[in-house]
Amino acid sequence: MAVERQASTLPPAQPAYIFRGHTSQIHSVQIVHKNTRLVTGDADGCVVCWKLESKRPVAVWRAHDAAILGTAEWGVDRVITHGRDNTLRIWQMRATDEGRLSTILPAEGLSTHRPKPWLLHSVPVNTLNFCAFSMCHVPAAFNIQRNSNNASGQGSTPAGVSDSILVAVPSRDDKKIEVYRFPDESLVCVVPRVETTDTGMVMAVKLTHHQPTNGFMVIAGYEGGFTAVHYLDFHSPSTAQASPQSSPVFAHTLYLSQPHTQPILSLDTSPDAELYFTSSADAIIAAHCMPEVPLNIRSYRSSSTVAKEYRSTGVSLNAEDPPQDPLVLSTLSLSASNAAGHHTEAASTAHLQASLGFQDASDAARTVGVEGANPAGKATTTKTGTTSTKADTPPPGSSTSLLPFNISVSSDPVASPPLTFSKKPIAPLPSAGAAKSPQPSVLSSQLSSGATNSSSRSAPPPIPQLSIQPPFKTANTKHAGQQSLCVRSDGRIMVTAGWDGRVRVYSTKTLKELAVLKWHKEGVYAAAFGGFLNEELMKSSGNESSRTAGQIAVNNRGGVADIVEQTKVIGLGKLQQQREQQIQAKHWVVAGAKDGKVSLWEVF
């Protein structure tokens, strides 16, 4: 009781600092460069880079003609901005460039001319649904060969990470997602819409690396309160290294849930990518387990992909949808190859029998139960007792399919009608009083005796049908309208920005509310954590900042070698390094609100 009484008498938390200078609402806040810089973006398209040690701006420019939706850092010298003017831009922001950029804040004049950083990339994207982009570094195994003269390839990256990134943005079809690769600006994948239900348009997206399969997961939040996880199959690292256009990347939807009744506003993943969390316009915060990738994911192709291949080979389907069974898909793929002239029909039949695990055609006929299936050149007994032998090549128009529909392949696809499919009932099994089935040959009997050996192969099981699954855990916070959900780099806590002007901190383990930060009088639109750094990262950052400070001081003096001034610069650099290390060691939370102010908080 004494502890509870003491806690209730503590004064409310106060922000460590308030950044002023924007004239419109804040839509994006990010602490970058190892807790040494703060990047903020407002509704006028202005971006301000603040120095956390001095709390002063070091770069101010108008990055877009409309509101900023999101910002991120790429390495140590590039900044990504996403605006509502339908553009995604990547700027070069080196430490030596800060001296030539403007420090005039937007509050001092929006029409004032300000030099801009060097623009490296500008890509048109969709921004009609207020959904910000998501960025993910590409592992070194997926690094692609590019032109060495590409200026955007400069810059340092962490060990084990290539210089390429993937960026996910909403597609022009607002229910789809596009994934781009930079610096080559190539579109590598379009995540399709969820076919089983109407999810509404995409409202939030998160792109993360899946370490067990070395693939990528695209997590999406939709207008209807749905969330889905899509797996991007890059086939293999060697395929991705070949060229940006070497092979298409297919997206497979692995998880679908509807934990919210209102549109999802934000989502984020844990550092180990085993959980992800969603918040929406309702009062629910939900935790979801990342789905496991099926072992046969790379052998699966969607029905739409198969249909496109058939159309390219002149094959048509009478049914509304192509078959979903992998066995049917493999059979149709072989038939399409025959129509294109790549294989003979005898080779296709033999390959199909081997893939189904049958010893010969008679074994397949007995197992599947299809009439008319007979190996070429084998003797068969008819109902009248006569014996007939079929030729090695079946006559045109005949059917040798082992499936319950007829497949007709023409040797000349131009002169003959297209391939058609018609339903054919499976022949019923013979009853006890029926005539005896034809006796197999001696070779077939010897092969069938060893049918139980381990050499028989079976097709991989199909991927289960997508269904709406419950989330791992939910919590009713009783506070509607929480957005900009962000998980700290240690994975212990997460923060949300509330429409009621509150910044709330939750436990990622229990989803319980741990702290409420109240200072803004209007709604908070953006919130983020600083990095959880160790001593080694802070020392490396301090050494880089001290070297940069010495270079800037010498450049400002025009290269004059003055021993006394250099000693002063070195001394000031050490003091600045100590202050920056103190700033880096703290656990920061930053929030931007509708009033144009940005609050900086220190949390546990």
Side-chain angles (χ1 to χ4, degrees), residues 100-124:
R100 67 177 184 84
L101 297 177
S102 174
T103 58
I104 302 175
L105 292 171
E108 302 176 16
L110 189 61
S111 60
T112 304
H113 173 71
R114 300 176 179 86
K116 297 181 180 180
W118 187 264
L119 181 61
L120 300 177
H121 305 277
S122 182
V123 178

Side-chain angles (χ1 to χ4, degrees), residues 307-545:
K308 291 180 181 178
E309 295 180 0
Y310 295 154
R311 285 192 290 269
S312 64
T313 56
V315 182
S316 61
L317 303 178
N318 287 341
E320 295 182 358
D321 296 323
Q324 299 291 338
D325 194 339
L327 301 180
V328 179
L329 295 179
S330 62
T331 305
L332 298 182
S333 300
L334 290 174
S335 300
S337 301
N338 293 339
H342 297 297
H343 302 285
T344 61
E345 186 173 358
S348 301
T349 305
H351 180 77
L352 177 60
Q353 294 170 4
S355 62
L356 296 177
F358 299 136
Q359 305 299 331
D360 56 5
S362 60
D363 188 14
R366 292 193 305 273
T367 305
V368 181
V370 180
E371 295 180 354
N374 185 57
K378 296 289 182 179
T380 57
T381 304
T382 60
K383 294 182 179 180
T384 58
T386 61
T387 303
S388 63
T389 304
K390 292 187 178 181
D392 293 340
T393 303
S398 63
S399 174
T400 59
S401 173
L402 301 181
L403 300 170
F405 48 80
N406 291 328
I407 301 179
S408 301
V409 182
S410 174
S411 59
D412 187 3
V414 178
S416 302
L419 180 65
T420 58
F421 297 85
S422 61
K423 295 291 183 179
K424 182 176 67 175
I426 298 177
L429 296 176
S431 59
K436 290 185 178 180
S437 59
Q439 296 294 332
S441 61
V442 178
L443 179 61
S444 299
S445 302
Q446 294 177 354
L447 291 177
S448 60
S449 61
T452 58
N453 57 12
S454 59
S455 61
S456 60
R457 294 178 298 175
S458 60
I463 295 180
Q465 294 293 330
L466 187 66
S467 60
I468 299 178
Q469 303 178 22
F472 172 67
K473 186 182 296 185
T474 58
N476 187 357
T477 64
K478 301 181 180 179
H479 305 288
Q482 299 187 66
Q483 64 184 46
S484 190
L485 187 148
C486 179
V487 180
R488 197 166 66 176
S489 57
D490 64 344
R492 297 177 58 189
I493 57 178
M494 58 184 175
V495 66
T496 60
W499 293 348
D500 56 357
R502 309 294 195 270
V503 180
R504 292 179 171 84
V505 181
Y506 297 92
S507 169
T508 57
K509 183 177 181 180
T510 62
L511 301 184
K512 291 184 178 180
E513 185 179 281
L514 302 179
V516 179
L517 309 178
K518 178 183 177 182
W519 185 87
H520 297 277
K521 300 297 188 295
E522 299 184 66
V524 181
Y525 293 159
F529 279 111
F532 201 85
L533 305 180
N534 53 27
E535 295 182 359
E536 294 181 359
L537 291 176
M538 290 188 292
K539 288 181 180 180
S540 62
S541 177
N543 294 333
E544 293 175 0
S545 62

